[in-house]
PDB file of all heavy atoms in Angstrom:
ATOM      1  N   LYS A  84     -53.110  75.341  95.323  1.00 87.00           N
ATOM      2  CA  LYS A  84     -52.048  74.607  94.630  1.00 87.00           C
ATOM      3  C   LYS A  84     -50.886  75.504  94.213  1.00 87.00           C
ATOM      4  O   LYS A  84     -49.893  75.008  93.696  1.00 87.00           O
ATOM      5  CB  LYS A  84     -52.624  73.904  93.405  1.00 87.00           C
ATOM      6  CG  LYS A  84     -53.618  72.829  93.773  1.00 87.00           C
ATOM      7  CD  LYS A  84     -54.248  72.216  92.561  1.00 87.00           C
ATOM      8  CE  LYS A  84     -55.299  71.191  92.979  1.00 87.00           C
ATOM      9  NZ  LYS A  84     -55.990  70.630  91.834  1.00 87.00           N
ATOM     10  N   LEU A  85     -51.019  76.808  94.432  1.00 84.00           N
ATOM     11  CA  LEU A  85     -49.952  77.725  94.053  1.00 84.00           C
ATOM     12  C   LEU A  85     -48.778  77.584  95.001  1.00 84.00           C
ATOM     13  O   LEU A  85     -48.947  77.340  96.193  1.00 84.00           O
ATOM     14  CB  LEU A  85     -50.453  79.174  94.087  1.00 84.00           C
ATOM     15  CG  LEU A  85     -51.480  79.556  93.028  1.00 84.00           C
ATOM     16  CD1 LEU A  85     -51.962  80.983  93.267  1.00 84.00           C
ATOM     17  CD2 LEU A  85     -50.907  79.402  91.635  1.00 84.00           C
ATOM     18  N   VAL A  86     -47.588  77.765  94.478  1.00 76.00           N
ATOM     19  CA  VAL A  86     -46.377  77.727  95.285  1.00 76.00           C
ATOM     20  C   VAL A  86     -46.228  79.081  95.954  1.00 76.00           C
ATOM     21  O   VAL A  86     -46.310  80.121  95.309  1.00 76.00           O
ATOM     22  CB  VAL A  86     -45.147  77.428  94.403  1.00 76.00           C
ATOM     23  CG1 VAL A  86     -43.864  77.506  95.216  1.00 76.00           C
ATOM     24  CG2 VAL A  86     -45.290  76.077  93.739  1.00 76.00           C
ATOM     25  N   CYS A  87     -46.013  79.047  97.224  1.00 70.00           N
ATOM     26  CA  CYS A  87     -45.855  80.278  97.994  1.00 70.00           C
ATOM     27  C   CYS A  87     -44.420  80.770  97.878  1.00 70.00           C
ATOM     28  O   CYS A  87     -43.480  79.982  97.930  1.00 70.00           O
ATOM     29  CB  CYS A  87     -46.202  80.017  99.462  1.00 70.00           C
ATOM     30  SG  CYS A  87     -46.038  81.477 100.495  1.00 70.00           S
ATOM     31  N   GLY A  88     -44.257  82.065  97.741  1.00 64.00           N
ATOM     32  CA  GLY A  88     -42.925  82.638  97.626  1.00 64.00           C
ATOM     33  C   GLY A  88     -42.394  83.215  98.921  1.00 64.00           C
ATOM     34  O   GLY A  88     -41.469  83.993  98.913  1.00 64.00           O
ATOM     35  N   LEU A  89     -42.961  82.830 100.037  1.00 62.00           N
ATOM     36  CA  LEU A  89     -42.544  83.354 101.327  1.00 62.00           C
ATOM     37  C   LEU A  89     -41.278  82.651 101.805  1.00 62.00           C
ATOM     38  O   LEU A  89     -41.196  81.434 101.816  1.00 62.00           O
ATOM     39  CB  LEU A  89     -43.668  83.147 102.358  1.00 62.00           C
ATOM     40  CG  LEU A  89     -43.400  83.614 103.768  1.00 62.00           C
ATOM     41  CD1 LEU A  89     -43.263  85.131 103.805  1.00 62.00           C
ATOM     42  CD2 LEU A  89     -44.525  83.169 104.681  1.00 62.00           C
ATOM     43  N   ILE A  90     -40.294  83.420 102.194  1.00 61.00           N
ATOM     44  CA  ILE A  90     -39.052  82.861 102.728  1.00 61.00           C
ATOM     45  C   ILE A  90     -39.253  82.584 104.207  1.00 61.00           C
ATOM     46  O   ILE A  90     -39.661  83.462 104.966  1.00 61.00           O
ATOM     47  CB  ILE A  90     -37.869  83.823 102.519  1.00 61.00           C
ATOM     48  CG1 ILE A  90     -37.625  84.024 101.031  1.00 61.00           C
ATOM     49  CG2 ILE A  90     -36.622  83.301 103.221  1.00 61.00           C
ATOM     50  CD1 ILE A  90     -36.578  85.064 100.733  1.00 61.00           C
ATOM     51  N   THR A  91     -38.982  81.349 104.604  1.00 61.00           N
ATOM     52  CA  THR A  91     -39.185  80.988 106.009  1.00 61.00           C
ATOM     53  C   THR A  91     -37.882  80.817 106.776  1.00 61.00           C
ATOM     54  O   THR A  91     -37.900  80.702 107.990  1.00 61.00           O
ATOM     55  CB  THR A  91     -40.008  79.695 106.120  1.00 61.00           C
ATOM     56  OG1 THR A  91     -39.331  78.649 105.414  1.00 61.00           O
ATOM     57  CG2 THR A  91     -41.406  79.885 105.549  1.00 61.00           C
ATOM     58  N   CYS A  92     -36.764  80.749 106.067  1.00 63.00           N
ATOM     59  CA  CYS A  92     -35.484  80.697 106.770  1.00 63.00           C
ATOM     60  C   CYS A  92     -34.396  81.259 105.871  1.00 63.00           C
ATOM     61  O   CYS A  92     -34.522  81.252 104.656  1.00 63.00           O
ATOM     62  CB  CYS A  92     -35.138  79.292 107.233  1.00 63.00           C
ATOM     63  SG  CYS A  92     -34.509  78.221 105.936  1.00 63.00           S
ATOM     64  N   PHE A  93     -33.355  81.749 106.489  1.00 62.00           N
ATOM     65  CA  PHE A  93     -32.211  82.265 105.764  1.00 62.00           C
ATOM     66  C   PHE A  93     -31.034  81.336 106.001  1.00 62.00           C
ATOM     67  O   PHE A  93     -30.801  80.890 107.124  1.00 62.00           O
ATOM     68  CB  PHE A  93     -31.845  83.678 106.252  1.00 62.00           C
ATOM     69  CG  PHE A  93     -32.888  84.699 105.940  1.00 62.00           C
ATOM     70  CD1 PHE A  93     -33.788  85.108 106.907  1.00 62.00           C
ATOM     71  CD2 PHE A  93     -32.965  85.261 104.671  1.00 62.00           C
ATOM     72  CE1 PHE A  93     -34.749  86.066 106.629  1.00 62.00           C
ATOM     73  CE2 PHE A  93     -33.927  86.206 104.378  1.00 62.00           C
ATOM     74  CZ  PHE A  93     -34.816  86.610 105.353  1.00 62.00           C
ATOM     75  N   ASP A  94     -30.272  81.057 104.966  1.00 67.00           N
ATOM     76  CA  ASP A  94     -29.113  80.190 105.084  1.00 67.00           C
ATOM     77  C   ASP A  94     -27.852  81.054 104.974  1.00 67.00           C
ATOM     78  O   ASP A  94     -27.341  81.278 103.886  1.00 67.00           O
ATOM     79  CB  ASP A  94     -29.144  79.124 103.993  1.00 67.00           C
ATOM     80  CG  ASP A  94     -28.048  78.087 104.161  1.00 67.00           C
ATOM     81  OD1 ASP A  94     -27.504  77.961 105.279  1.00 67.00           O
ATOM     82  OD2 ASP A  94     -27.743  77.396 103.175  1.00 67.00           O
ATOM     83  N   PHE A  95     -27.412  81.573 106.102  1.00 65.00           N
ATOM     84  CA  PHE A  95     -26.197  82.369 106.117  1.00 65.00           C
ATOM     85  C   PHE A  95     -25.559  82.272 107.504  1.00 65.00           C
ATOM     86  O   PHE A  95     -26.210  81.946 108.479  1.00 65.00           O
ATOM     87  CB  PHE A  95     -26.469  83.832 105.738  1.00 65.00           C
ATOM     88  CG  PHE A  95     -27.212  84.609 106.791  1.00 65.00           C
ATOM     89  CD1 PHE A  95     -26.519  85.361 107.726  1.00 65.00           C
ATOM     90  CD2 PHE A  95     -28.598  84.592 106.839  1.00 65.00           C
ATOM     91  CE1 PHE A  95     -27.200  86.074 108.706  1.00 65.00           C
ATOM     92  CE2 PHE A  95     -29.279  85.303 107.810  1.00 65.00           C
ATOM     93  CZ  PHE A  95     -28.581  86.054 108.746  1.00 65.00           C
ATOM     94  N   GLU A  96     -24.310  82.567 107.534  1.00 67.00           N
ATOM     95  CA  GLU A  96     -23.571  82.558 108.787  1.00 67.00           C
ATOM     96  C   GLU A  96     -23.583  83.961 109.387  1.00 67.00           C
ATOM     97  O   GLU A  96     -23.376  84.937 108.667  1.00 67.00           O
ATOM     98  CB  GLU A  96     -22.117  82.132 108.549  1.00 67.00           C
ATOM     99  CG  GLU A  96     -21.973  80.694 108.095  1.00 67.00           C
ATOM    100  CD  GLU A  96     -22.380  79.694 109.163  1.00 67.00           C
ATOM    101  OE1 GLU A  96     -22.073  79.945 110.361  1.00 67.00           O
ATOM    102  OE2 GLU A  96     -22.994  78.690 108.808  1.00 67.00           O
TER     103      GLU A  96
END
Side-chain angles (χ1 to χ4, degrees):
K84 295 176 183 177
L85 292 175
V86 175
C87 180
L89 179 66
I90 297 174
T91 58
C92 78
F93 294 100
D94 187 19
F95 71 94
E96 294 293 321

